[in-house]
Amino acid sequence: KGRGKVGPEMVGQEGGTAPASMFMRGVPQQDIERFKAAARARGWTLGYYLARLLDLHEAMRTAADSGNVGVRQSLDVLGLQTVER
């Protein structure tokens, strides 16, 4: 469940994960800038910020699936409803 409280300084170390690269096409420039600014404001790497966003999404999905109607509706509006893997 999630990645725990591993800080950006732990990436690639014991308890962290090995760094990798990722390329995404079709991302609007304004979203790229928002993403970079949010990570930079926290002093985090882009990869670490992305990992925290994934943890946030998982926590919100859990809340929605546990009956939090407001969270479920918000996720549904964004197209982030629960999907089966």
Side-chain angles (χ1 to χ4, degrees):
K1 261 188 172 176
R3 288 155 197 76
K5 300 241 182 203
V6 176
E9 67 281 354
M10 292 295 295
V11 173
Q13 298 179 21
E14 184 180 339
T17 57
S21 295
M22 182 172 74
F23 176 78
M24 292 184 285
R25 289 183 277 196
V27 180
Q29 187 63 39
Q30 65 213 33
D31 292 337
I32 292 170
E33 294 307 319
R34 287 175 52 207
F35 184 77
K36 287 180 178 181
R40 191 171 38 249
R42 290 165 174 80
W44 294 351
T45 65
L46 297 178
Y48 187 76
Y49 184 57
L50 176 61
R52 300 296 65 81
L53 290 175
L54 292 170
D55 289 341
L56 173 62
H57 180 248
E58 182 178 336
M60 294 302 96
R61 280 277 24 108
T62 298
D65 293 343
S66 296
N68 187 318
V69 175
V71 171
R72 183 185 52 78
Q73 289 173 339
S74 295
L75 291 173
D76 288 351
V77 166
L78 296 169
L80 297 172
Q81 60 272 32
T82 297
V83 294
E84 297 298 322
R85 298 186 229 190

